[in-house]
Amino acid sequence: MDPVSAAFAATPRADFLPRRSRRRADFDGPVQIGQGQTNSQPRTVENMLRLLDVHPGHKVLDVGAGSGWSTALLAHLVGATGSVLGLELEPELVKFGSTNLAATDRPWATIEEALSGVLGDPTRAPYDRILVSAEPSRLPQRLVEQLVEGGRMVIPVAGIMLTVDRHGDGAEVSQHGRYRFVPLR
């Protein structure tokens, strides 16, 4: 089994949904988790993780952690030699996602409340990988700058999924289909 499939097998979506929505865990679409946010479509999450190309030992930033599912999937991929920081703006979702993540026994991953007006976490950068699960209208250079040389970010921008590979002061950007996400704030 490939690493992304193994992460999905070890991290059931139902464990990251509100109790009232767990019967919809097998639904291949977004599921409301509260605060106007959703747990993303499994096929979309899988595509994003495959594009991100996470390896054991990576340091990963998960922007828009929501229910904690993507953070937990990333934690499985990086293993105990890596680290994952999930950031979420909504305080209620930080609590919900943190509780869900704690149940996975992957202490190398955490979810914290994002600081208002600060995109990502420049104080703990650089990151090997950045996953963004919310959509800006333009590629945020502040996040690109938080990647290590050779690092990669996967982010939906203006409806198009992008991979951004950092090289020196620049970045190589490629497009990977159309997607819809909640706006990045």
Side-chain angles (χ1 to χ4, degrees):
M1 183 179 304
D2 71 271
V4 171
S5 296
F8 270 79
T11 315
R13 184 186 194 200
D15 296 347
F16 295 85
L17 296 175
R19 290 205 184 279
R20 70 186 179 283
S21 301
R22 289 186 176 173
R23 62 179 165 51
R24 300 188 67 213
D26 292 333
F27 170 62
D28 190 28
V31 175
Q32 294 291 325
I33 57 172
Q35 310 301 310
Q37 305 299 313
T38 62
N39 178 281
S40 294
Q41 178 180 15
R43 186 169 15 127
T44 298
V45 175
E46 179 183 0
N47 290 342
M48 291 175 79
L49 292 178
R50 291 188 186 286
L51 289 170
L52 198 58
D53 190 32
V54 177
H55 295 277
H58 272 163
K59 179 180 177 184
V60 180
L61 178 63
D62 183 20
V63 178
S67 69
W69 190 40
S70 58
T71 307
L73 289 163
L74 289 164
H76 185 274
L77 291 168
V78 302
T81 61
S83 66
V84 181
L85 172 61
L87 295 177
E88 174 56 51
L89 272 175
E90 298 294 336
E92 290 302 313
L93 290 180
V94 172
K95 291 177 198 167
F96 180 62
S98 293
T99 299
N100 295 337
L101 181 61
T104 68
D105 194 31
R106 297 174 190 162
W108 53 91
T110 59
I111 297 175
E112 297 177 5
E113 188 171 341
L115 298 174
S116 181
V118 177
L119 189 53
D121 186 358
T123 62
R124 289 181 264 190
Y127 294 92
D128 298 297
R129 298 290 188 265
I130 300 175
L131 180 68
V132 183
S133 297
E135 183 177 321
S137 58
R138 288 183 294 232
L139 180 62
Q141 189 61 34
R142 288 181 292 167
L143 284 177
V144 176
E145 291 166 358
Q146 292 175 44
L147 286 168
V148 298
E149 170 70 25
R152 174 174 282 184
M153 175 169 54
V154 172
I155 181 171
V157 176
I160 299 173
M161 191 63 67
L162 303 179
T163 58
V164 181
D165 294 301
R166 183 165 185 188
H167 302 291
D169 290 335
E172 180 181 332
V173 178
S174 60
Q175 298 183 1
H176 302 275
R178 299 193 70 69
Y179 292 84
R180 290 182 57 197
F181 279 82
V182 298
L184 179 66
R185 299 182 283 134

